[in-house]
mmCIF file of all heavy atoms in Angstrom:
data_model
loop_
_atom_site.group_PDB
_atom_site.id
_atom_site.type_symbol
_atom_site.label_atom_id
_atom_site.label_comp_id
_atom_site.label_asym_id
_atom_site.label_seq_id
_atom_site.Cartn_x
_atom_site.Cartn_y
_atom_site.Cartn_z
ATOM 1 N N ASP A 1 89.351 54.761 99.636
ATOM 2 C CA ASP A 1 89.311 56.205 99.400
ATOM 3 C C ASP A 1 88.288 56.579 98.338
ATOM 4 O O ASP A 1 87.919 55.753 97.470
ATOM 5 C CB ASP A 1 90.679 56.718 98.951
ATOM 6 C CG ASP A 1 91.696 56.808 100.090
ATOM 7 O OD1 ASP A 1 91.265 56.703 101.257
ATOM 8 O OD2 ASP A 1 92.886 56.967 99.789
ATOM 9 N N VAL A 2 87.849 57.831 98.367
ATOM 10 C CA VAL A 2 87.023 58.409 97.322
ATOM 11 C C VAL A 2 87.815 59.595 96.754
ATOM 12 O O VAL A 2 87.939 60.640 97.396
ATOM 13 C CB VAL A 2 85.659 58.882 97.841
ATOM 14 C CG1 VAL A 2 84.855 59.522 96.699
ATOM 15 C CG2 VAL A 2 84.875 57.731 98.445
ATOM 16 N N VAL A 3 88.404 59.408 95.578
ATOM 17 C CA VAL A 3 89.186 60.460 94.938
ATOM 18 C C VAL A 3 88.235 61.482 94.330
ATOM 19 O O VAL A 3 87.332 61.140 93.568
ATOM 20 C CB VAL A 3 90.094 59.862 93.848
ATOM 21 C CG1 VAL A 3 90.834 60.972 93.097
ATOM 22 C CG2 VAL A 3 91.078 58.869 94.460
ATOM 23 N N VAL A 4 88.423 62.750 94.668
ATOM 24 C CA VAL A 4 87.604 63.837 94.131
ATOM 25 C C VAL A 4 88.512 64.741 93.292
ATOM 26 O O VAL A 4 89.473 65.318 93.788
ATOM 27 C CB VAL A 4 86.954 64.669 95.265
ATOM 28 C CG1 VAL A 4 86.173 65.841 94.680
ATOM 29 C CG2 VAL A 4 86.044 63.772 96.108
ATOM 30 N N ILE A 5 88.207 64.823 91.990
ATOM 31 C CA ILE A 5 88.953 65.705 91.087
ATOM 32 C C ILE A 5 87.996 66.791 90.607
ATOM 33 O O ILE A 5 87.016 66.499 89.936
ATOM 34 C CB ILE A 5 89.523 64.928 89.889
ATOM 35 C CG1 ILE A 5 90.350 63.731 90.351
ATOM 36 C CG2 ILE A 5 90.370 65.861 89.021
ATOM 37 C CD1 ILE A 5 90.883 62.880 89.213
ATOM 38 N N ARG A 6 88.286 68.002 90.973
ATOM 39 C CA ARG A 6 87.373 69.111 90.635
ATOM 40 C C ARG A 6 88.098 70.204 89.824
ATOM 41 O O ARG A 6 89.292 70.118 89.583
ATOM 42 C CB ARG A 6 86.771 69.693 91.907
ATOM 43 C CG ARG A 6 87.798 70.266 92.866
ATOM 44 C CD ARG A 6 87.139 70.539 94.213
ATOM 45 N NE ARG A 6 88.096 71.099 95.161
ATOM 46 C CZ ARG A 6 87.859 71.216 96.466
ATOM 47 N NH1 ARG A 6 86.705 70.825 96.968
ATOM 48 N NH2 ARG A 6 88.762 71.742 97.272
ATOM 49 N N TYR A 7 87.290 71.208 89.411
ATOM 50 C CA TYR A 7 87.764 72.254 88.506
ATOM 51 C C TYR A 7 88.224 71.700 87.179
ATOM 52 O O TYR A 7 89.137 72.192 86.551
ATOM 53 C CB TYR A 7 88.880 73.096 89.168
ATOM 54 C CG TYR A 7 88.393 73.822 90.410
ATOM 55 C CD1 TYR A 7 88.762 73.373 91.679
ATOM 56 C CD2 TYR A 7 87.515 74.901 90.311
ATOM 57 C CE1 TYR A 7 88.272 73.999 92.818
ATOM 58 C CE2 TYR A 7 87.022 75.524 91.446
ATOM 59 C CZ TYR A 7 87.416 75.084 92.693
ATOM 60 O OH TYR A 7 86.931 75.704 93.839
ATOM 61 N N GLU A 8 87.525 70.620 86.745
ATOM 62 C CA GLU A 8 87.791 70.033 85.435
ATOM 63 C C GLU A 8 86.518 69.949 84.599
ATOM 64 O O GLU A 8 86.453 69.217 83.623
ATOM 65 C CB GLU A 8 88.392 68.631 85.593
ATOM 66 C CG GLU A 8 89.779 68.578 86.204
ATOM 67 C CD GLU A 8 90.843 69.172 85.299
ATOM 68 O OE1 GLU A 8 90.526 69.685 84.203
ATOM 69 O OE2 GLU A 8 92.037 69.125 85.670
ATOM 70 N N GLY A 9 85.484 70.724 85.010
ATOM 71 C CA GLY A 9 84.232 70.735 84.250
ATOM 72 C C GLY A 9 84.321 71.641 83.019
ATOM 73 O O GLY A 9 85.402 72.115 82.645
ATOM 74 N N PRO A 10 83.185 71.931 82.401
ATOM 75 C CA PRO A 10 83.183 72.791 81.212
ATOM 76 C C PRO A 10 83.856 74.130 81.459
ATOM 77 O O PRO A 10 84.674 74.585 80.654
ATOM 78 C CB PRO A 10 81.682 72.954 80.910
ATOM 79 C CG PRO A 10 81.072 71.697 81.434
ATOM 80 C CD PRO A 10 81.838 71.376 82.677
ATOM 81 N N LYS A 11 83.527 74.792 82.569
ATOM 82 C CA LYS A 11 84.143 76.079 82.883
ATOM 83 C C LYS A 11 85.545 75.908 83.482
ATOM 84 O O LYS A 11 86.475 76.629 83.153
ATOM 85 C CB LYS A 11 83.269 76.855 83.874
ATOM 86 C CG LYS A 11 81.982 77.418 83.307
ATOM 87 C CD LYS A 11 81.251 78.208 84.368
ATOM 88 C CE LYS A 11 79.965 78.806 83.857
ATOM 89 N NZ LYS A 11 80.180 79.803 82.797
ATOM 90 N N GLY A 12 85.682 74.948 84.364
ATOM 91 C CA GLY A 12 86.922 74.794 85.113
ATOM 92 C C GLY A 12 88.089 74.254 84.322
ATOM 93 O O GLY A 12 89.228 74.624 84.578
ATOM 94 N N GLY A 13 87.829 73.368 83.371
ATOM 95 C CA GLY A 13 88.898 72.713 82.601
ATOM 96 C C GLY A 13 89.897 73.671 81.970
ATOM 97 O O GLY A 13 91.082 73.560 82.188
ATOM 98 N N PRO A 14 89.432 74.663 81.168
ATOM 99 C CA PRO A 14 88.077 74.669 80.628
ATOM 100 C C PRO A 14 87.950 73.645 79.510
ATOM 101 O O PRO A 14 88.940 73.230 78.928
ATOM 102 C CB PRO A 14 87.927 76.096 80.102
ATOM 103 C CG PRO A 14 89.322 76.518 79.745
ATOM 104 C CD PRO A 14 90.212 75.818 80.737
ATOM 105 N N GLY A 15 86.727 73.223 79.299
ATOM 106 C CA GLY A 15 86.472 72.286 78.223
ATOM 107 C C GLY A 15 86.153 70.891 78.663
ATOM 108 O O GLY A 15 86.044 69.986 77.855
ATOM 109 N N MET A 16 86.004 70.670 79.981
ATOM 110 C CA MET A 16 85.599 69.379 80.519
ATOM 111 C C MET A 16 86.519 68.246 80.049
ATOM 112 O O MET A 16 86.163 67.369 79.274
ATOM 113 C CB MET A 16 84.147 69.062 80.120
ATOM 114 C CG MET A 16 83.476 68.067 81.041
ATOM 115 S SD MET A 16 81.742 67.866 80.645
ATOM 116 C CE MET A 16 81.233 66.867 82.042
ATOM 117 N N ARG A 17 87.750 68.294 80.552
ATOM 118 C CA ARG A 17 88.761 67.319 80.142
ATOM 119 C C ARG A 17 88.355 65.888 80.553
ATOM 120 O O ARG A 17 87.664 65.693 81.531
ATOM 121 C CB ARG A 17 90.106 67.660 80.749
ATOM 122 C CG ARG A 17 90.683 68.954 80.220
ATOM 123 C CD ARG A 17 92.165 69.055 80.533
ATOM 124 N NE ARG A 17 92.436 69.148 81.963
ATOM 125 C CZ ARG A 17 93.676 69.159 82.448
ATOM 126 N NH1 ARG A 17 94.716 69.066 81.644
ATOM 127 N NH2 ARG A 17 93.871 69.268 83.735
ATOM 128 N N GLU A 18 88.846 64.950 79.775
ATOM 129 C CA GLU A 18 88.557 63.537 80.018
ATOM 130 C C GLU A 18 89.512 62.994 81.085
ATOM 131 O O GLU A 18 90.726 63.126 80.966
ATOM 132 C CB GLU A 18 88.702 62.746 78.741
ATOM 133 C CG GLU A 18 88.384 61.269 78.866
ATOM 134 C CD GLU A 18 88.525 60.554 77.531
ATOM 135 O OE1 GLU A 18 87.851 60.953 76.568
ATOM 136 O OE2 GLU A 18 89.338 59.619 77.461
ATOM 137 N N MET A 19 88.952 62.373 82.117
ATOM 138 C CA MET A 19 89.766 61.871 83.237
ATOM 139 C C MET A 19 90.197 60.415 83.042
ATOM 140 O O MET A 19 90.188 59.612 83.981
ATOM 141 C CB MET A 19 88.970 62.015 84.550
ATOM 142 C CG MET A 19 88.593 63.436 84.913
ATOM 143 S SD MET A 19 90.004 64.496 85.271
ATOM 144 C CE MET A 19 90.069 65.479 83.775
ATOM 145 N N LEU A 20 90.571 60.079 81.827
ATOM 146 C CA LEU A 20 90.990 58.705 81.546
ATOM 147 C C LEU A 20 92.297 58.371 82.272
ATOM 148 O O LEU A 20 92.485 57.249 82.758
ATOM 149 C CB LEU A 20 91.164 58.514 80.051
ATOM 150 C CG LEU A 20 91.633 57.120 79.588
ATOM 151 C CD1 LEU A 20 90.647 56.052 80.025
ATOM 152 C CD2 LEU A 20 91.813 57.089 78.076
ATOM 153 N N GLY A 21 93.220 59.334 82.369
ATOM 154 C CA GLY A 21 94.502 59.103 83.020
ATOM 155 C C GLY A 21 94.351 58.629 84.454
ATOM 156 O O GLY A 21 94.889 57.572 84.839
ATOM 157 N N PRO A 22 93.632 59.367 85.309
ATOM 158 C CA PRO A 22 93.455 58.947 86.708
ATOM 159 C C PRO A 22 92.739 57.602 86.856
ATOM 160 O O PRO A 22 93.154 56.780 87.680
ATOM 161 C CB PRO A 22 92.616 60.073 87.310
ATOM 162 C CG PRO A 22 92.942 61.261 86.473
ATOM 163 C CD PRO A 22 93.125 60.732 85.095
ATOM 164 N N THR A 23 91.730 57.346 86.047
ATOM 165 C CA THR A 23 91.027 56.060 86.175
ATOM 166 C C THR A 23 91.925 54.915 85.735
ATOM 167 O O THR A 23 91.925 53.845 86.336
ATOM 168 C CB THR A 23 89.717 56.060 85.344
ATOM 169 O OG1 THR A 23 90.003 56.392 83.981
ATOM 170 C CG2 THR A 23 88.713 57.026 85.898
ATOM 171 N N ALA A 24 92.718 55.138 84.672
ATOM 172 C CA ALA A 24 93.651 54.091 84.223
ATOM 173 C C ALA A 24 94.731 53.859 85.255
ATOM 174 O O ALA A 24 95.130 52.709 85.494
ATOM 175 C CB ALA A 24 94.271 54.509 82.887
ATOM 176 N N ALA A 25 95.178 54.939 85.910
ATOM 177 C CA ALA A 25 96.208 54.789 86.950
ATOM 178 C C ALA A 25 95.680 54.044 88.166
ATOM 179 O O ALA A 25 96.380 53.203 88.762
ATOM 180 C CB ALA A 25 96.720 56.167 87.364
ATOM 181 N N ILE A 26 94.434 54.327 88.521
ATOM 182 C CA ILE A 26 93.805 53.601 89.644
ATOM 183 C C ILE A 26 93.685 52.125 89.307
ATOM 184 O O ILE A 26 93.975 51.244 90.133
ATOM 185 C CB ILE A 26 92.444 54.212 89.971
ATOM 186 C CG1 ILE A 26 92.631 55.576 90.658
ATOM 187 C CG2 ILE A 26 91.606 53.300 90.874
ATOM 188 C CD1 ILE A 26 91.355 56.370 90.865
ATOM 189 N N ALA A 27 93.236 51.830 88.071
ATOM 190 C CA ALA A 27 93.121 50.425 87.654
ATOM 191 C C ALA A 27 94.490 49.766 87.601
ATOM 192 O O ALA A 27 94.664 48.616 88.019
ATOM 193 C CB ALA A 27 92.446 50.352 86.277
ATOM 194 N N GLY A 28 95.495 50.497 87.114
ATOM 195 C CA GLY A 28 96.843 49.955 87.020
ATOM 196 C C GLY A 28 97.435 49.658 88.387
ATOM 197 O O GLY A 28 98.278 48.738 88.510
ATOM 198 N N ALA A 29 96.996 50.383 89.403
ATOM 199 C CA ALA A 29 97.454 50.138 90.772
ATOM 200 C C ALA A 29 96.650 49.042 91.458
ATOM 201 O O ALA A 29 96.903 48.727 92.626
ATOM 202 C CB ALA A 29 97.371 51.431 91.582
ATOM 203 N N GLY A 30 95.699 48.448 90.700
ATOM 204 C CA GLY A 30 94.881 47.372 91.259
ATOM 205 C C GLY A 30 93.840 47.853 92.256
ATOM 206 O O GLY A 30 93.387 47.067 93.105
ATOM 207 N N LEU A 31 93.435 49.125 92.130
ATOM 208 C CA LEU A 31 92.506 49.708 93.097
ATOM 209 C C LEU A 31 91.104 49.978 92.526
ATOM 210 O O LEU A 31 90.258 50.544 93.214
ATOM 211 C CB LEU A 31 93.071 51.027 93.635
ATOM 212 C CG LEU A 31 94.335 50.934 94.470
ATOM 213 C CD1 LEU A 31 94.891 52.330 94.749
ATOM 214 C CD2 LEU A 31 94.067 50.195 95.782
ATOM 215 N N ASP A 32 90.865 49.564 91.273
ATOM 216 C CA ASP A 32 89.598 49.908 90.647
ATOM 217 C C ASP A 32 88.405 49.216 91.285
ATOM 218 O O ASP A 32 87.263 49.628 91.072
ATOM 219 C CB ASP A 32 89.620 49.591 89.141
ATOM 220 C CG ASP A 32 90.033 48.163 88.850
ATOM 221 O OD1 ASP A 32 91.138 47.767 89.265
ATOM 222 O OD2 ASP A 32 89.242 47.461 88.203
ATOM 223 N N LYS A 33 88.646 48.174 92.122
ATOM 224 C CA LYS A 33 87.549 47.525 92.830
ATOM 225 C C LYS A 33 87.488 47.963 94.288
ATOM 226 O O LYS A 33 86.732 47.402 95.098
ATOM 227 C CB LYS A 33 87.711 46.012 92.740
ATOM 228 C CG LYS A 33 87.545 45.462 91.342
ATOM 229 C CD LYS A 33 87.637 43.947 91.302
ATOM 230 C CE LYS A 33 87.473 43.421 89.865
ATOM 231 N NZ LYS A 33 87.582 41.939 89.803
ATOM 232 N N ASP A 34 88.282 48.964 94.640
ATOM 233 C CA ASP A 34 88.345 49.423 96.027
ATOM 234 C C ASP A 34 88.284 50.926 96.198
ATOM 235 O O ASP A 34 88.124 51.410 97.316
ATOM 236 C CB ASP A 34 89.639 48.918 96.678
ATOM 237 C CG ASP A 34 89.762 47.412 96.671
ATOM 238 O OD1 ASP A 34 89.052 46.768 97.447
ATOM 239 O OD2 ASP A 34 90.559 46.889 95.873
ATOM 240 N N VAL A 35 88.401 51.674 95.103
ATOM 241 C CA VAL A 35 88.447 53.123 95.172
ATOM 242 C C VAL A 35 87.402 53.726 94.235
ATOM 243 O O VAL A 35 87.281 53.285 93.087
ATOM 244 C CB VAL A 35 89.862 53.660 94.794
ATOM 245 C CG1 VAL A 35 89.845 55.159 94.587
ATOM 246 C CG2 VAL A 35 90.866 53.282 95.881
ATOM 247 N N ALA A 36 86.674 54.719 94.722
ATOM 248 C CA ALA A 36 85.742 55.467 93.859
ATOM 249 C C ALA A 36 86.403 56.750 93.409
ATOM 250 O O ALA A 36 87.304 57.273 94.079
ATOM 251 C CB ALA A 36 84.437 55.759 94.613
ATOM 252 N N LEU A 37 85.982 57.257 92.256
ATOM 253 C CA LEU A 37 86.489 58.529 91.768
ATOM 254 C C LEU A 37 85.303 59.402 91.361
ATOM 255 O O LEU A 37 84.403 58.945 90.635
ATOM 256 C CB LEU A 37 87.421 58.304 90.580
ATOM 257 C CG LEU A 37 88.204 59.531 90.079
ATOM 258 C CD1 LEU A 37 89.494 59.101 89.412
ATOM 259 C CD2 LEU A 37 87.391 60.400 89.122
ATOM 260 N N ILE A 38 85.279 60.620 91.856
ATOM 261 C CA ILE A 38 84.198 61.555 91.568
ATOM 262 C C ILE A 38 84.806 62.819 90.962
ATOM 263 O O ILE A 38 85.783 63.361 91.476
ATOM 264 C CB ILE A 38 83.425 61.906 92.845
ATOM 265 C CG1 ILE A 38 82.763 60.642 93.431
ATOM 266 C CG2 ILE A 38 82.369 62.991 92.573
ATOM 267 C CD1 ILE A 38 82.138 60.879 94.795
#
């Protein structure tokens, strides 16, 4: 899969939030070598 998380940019966040939670969750599920996140 290619996970797309949008409306989190400077205007959309607002403030361009850090997406550490989703990337850590993907890695925790053992998918960091199989899933892209945009």
Side-chain angles (χ1 to χ4, degrees):
D1 285 347
V2 178
V3 176
V4 177
I5 307 176
R6 61 192 180 192
Y7 298 106
E8 292 292 4
K11 288 182 180 295
M16 203 174 188
R17 294 196 294 176
E18 183 179 302
M19 299 295 105
L20 179 60
T23 55
I26 288 172
L31 294 171
D32 54 303
K33 294 183 180 179
D34 300 287
V35 168
L37 190 153
I38 298 172

